[in-house]
Amino acid sequence: MTASPVIAVEAIALAAPATDPSDLDAARETLLVRVTDADGRTGIGEADGPAAAICELFGMTGRFDGSRGLSELVVGRDPFELRAIQADLVAATAYHGRRGLGIHALSGLDVALHDLAGKQLQRPVYQLLGGARRDAISPYATIWPGGVKGRSIGQMMEEIGRQIARAAELGFRAVKMEVIFDDLVTDRDLVRCIREGRALAGDEMMFAVDFGYRWTAWRDALAVLEQLGGDDVYFAEATLSHDDVRGHAQLAGRSPVRICAGEFSASVHEYREWLEAGVDVLQPDVSRSGGLTELVRIAELAGHYGAVVIPHAWKTGITATAVRHFQAAVPNCPYIEMSVPELWDSPLRAGLVAPEPVVRGGRIALPTAPGLGIDLVPETVERYRGS
Ligand code: MG
């Protein structure tokens, strides 16, 4: 096959109308990345974060090596050179891009190049990542009742119960309960709420908890997790302040429940710090931690520490799809997060790409279509473009 180079890189800011910020809809805006090859094939990705700011990192004209624009660097490249391209991009943006939004931007481009390369080769992306290491995908459904907004804890638990039941009907066998209840509950009440959620999910369901950065002191977190030790809680997410590496280390060394870290971290360098701290579960996001190339690198490193990777995915269907390919190819990824359109009222999550996968018995079949195997919905792109 003759190489078909990238001839265009588009960075397209999409934004749905604002909602209550306490609803934490990270898919209200996204930076859609589309690459096109010389034969007219396209690949898509997305970068998480303020879309206008990330857009600038693509379109800028670089003044010197170390501060180049992403688009100019990728045009003319063969999309199969995935690792080489990523290394070149990291070097060429080193003055501003080593962490944070610079890595978010690279992430969207990396996923788009995987999609394009897969389409050129007529193979699903997970094969570019090394091939299948499992025979199906295992998602967990995130159970998010929304911000408190004047509701009682009883009303919040009622909504959580409704969503857990719906997730089971939709075929999920794994859920994560978000317990962002602000000051509605004491830590003692919280233990009761989590036990109630655990009972609602039932014995057959994997059950995990996201604490929404509830504590600043690791001993406070430990006191709750010790009480949950016998309740079969699979992991504890967002216990302490995100960047409290030492606190996470103290907690991970004592907690009876697996400790997660790093849903906002970027690049393998930051995840190495988490691994050295002894956390059990890394939660990189494919749309901001460095794309599929970096997620595989992070997972390989985690494997040397006996840790697992369960990617964060609270974005559109592009991210949701990319992590399915990641899980297919990665042995130490027991679950992936799935934001479920039926449970989460987010227009760009529900409508940006199609098709949605079928979940049956807690599993999704391995993808078979070339590339990511999804298409943009043109009406959604036009509707939310630049609005
Ligand atoms: Mg989270």
Side-chain angles (χ1 to χ4, degrees):
M1 190 182 84
T2 319
S4 184
V6 175
I7 61 161
V9 177
E10 297 166 272
I12 303 164
L14 301 177
T19 184
D20 187 321
S22 73
D23 281 333
L24 302 178
D25 182 354
R28 277 286 139 177
E29 68 171 327
T30 196
L31 194 278
L32 170 65
V33 180
R34 182 163 53 192
V35 292
T36 304
D37 73 11
D39 296 299
R41 286 171 293 233
T42 57
I44 55 172
E46 68 177 330
D48 190 28
I54 300 172
C55 201
E56 182 62 23
L57 297 176
F58 278 85
M60 64 185 266
T61 303
R63 301 291 180 210
F64 64 96
D65 286 345
S67 183
R68 302 280 304 275
L70 293 174
S71 298
E72 64 180 3
L73 290 163
V74 170
V75 169
R77 300 292 298 258
D78 177 347
F80 278 95
E81 304 263 316
L82 288 158
R83 280 196 169 213
I85 292 172
Q86 204 216 33
D88 290 346
L89 296 180
V90 168
T93 59
Y95 266 62
H96 62 272
R98 293 166 38 258
R99 303 287 190 276
L101 290 190
I103 298 294
H104 295 205
L106 290 183
S107 306
L109 194 44
D110 181 79
V111 171
L113 290 169
H114 275 85
D115 187 25
L116 180 59
K119 285 178 180 169
Q120 288 189 1
L121 197 59
Q122 288 291 297
R123 286 176 177 272
V125 161
Y126 76 82
Q127 293 188 335
L128 300 179
L129 304 179
R133 304 295 294 271
R134 60 188 69 249
D135 55 11
I137 307 302
S138 311
Y140 75 76
T142 296
I143 304 300
W144 165 230
V148 173
K149 290 185 280 195
R151 286 180 289 175
S152 67
I153 188 61
Q155 289 169 315
M156 298 289 284
M157 287 304 298
E158 206 172 296
E159 174 61 18
I160 285 170
R162 187 191 70 75
Q163 288 195 28
I164 290 174
R166 184 70 187 129
E169 283 170 11
L170 290 168
F172 287 89
R173 293 295 175 269
V175 293
K176 180 180 77 186
M177 175 180 171
E178 303 264 346
V179 296
I180 306 179
F181 298 148
D182 301 336
D183 54 5
L184 276 185
V185 291
T186 63
D187 282 359
R188 193 178 291 246
D189 298 330
L190 184 59
V191 170
R192 279 196 289 270
C193 290
I194 291 168
R195 286 187 175 144
E196 187 183 333
R198 208 323 147 216
L200 288 168
D203 291 343
E204 301 304 309
M205 193 80 92
M206 179 282 252
F207 181 81
V209 179
D210 183 336
F211 290 93
Y213 304 102
R214 182 173 176 87
W215 297 286
T216 51
W218 63 266
R219 284 191 193 279
D220 292 335
L222 181 63
V224 165
L225 296 178
E226 280 179 336
Q227 292 177 69
L228 295 172
D231 290 288
D232 193 18
V233 173
Y234 188 83
F235 66 61
E237 171 176 336
T239 48
L240 305 172
S241 307
H242 186 278
D243 292 328
D244 180 6
V245 178
R246 186 170 155 72
H248 280 81
Q250 299 287 344
L251 195 54
R254 294 166 175 83
S255 168
V257 181
R258 291 177 186 84
I259 299 298
C260 301
E263 65 178 353
F264 299 143
S265 296
S267 88
V268 72
H269 308 293
E270 292 189 355
Y271 288 98
R272 181 172 49 78
E273 290 179 34
W274 289 121
L275 291 169
E276 287 171 358
V279 301
D280 307 284
V281 180
L282 303 183
Q283 298 181 297
D285 187 311
V286 74
S287 69
R288 62 177 176 229
S289 296
L292 288 163
T293 296
E294 198 76 356
L295 251 65
V296 168
R297 202 176 274 143
I298 291 163
E300 286 175 352
L301 186 61
H304 295 297
Y305 287 78
V308 300
V309 176
I310 302 182
H312 175 271
W314 195 242
K315 202 69 186 168
T316 79
I318 299 174
T319 292
T321 304
V323 295
R324 292 198 293 275
H325 288 271
F326 168 79
Q327 195 195 23
V330 170
N332 57 331
C333 175
Y335 294 97
I336 54 171
E337 179 171 28
M338 186 164 165
S339 54
V340 184
E342 288 87 343
L343 302 180
W344 191 39
D345 180 23
S346 177
L348 281 169
R349 169 64 186 94
L352 183 59
V353 294
E356 276 295 316
V358 176
V359 184
R360 195 168 288 132
R363 293 151 65 92
I364 297 170
L366 293 186
T368 54
L372 290 174
I374 48 171
D375 290 307
L376 288 169
V377 177
E379 305 79 55
T380 308
V381 176
E382 287 318 309
R383 184 168 177 196
Y384 296 117
R385 188 175 190 146
S387 59

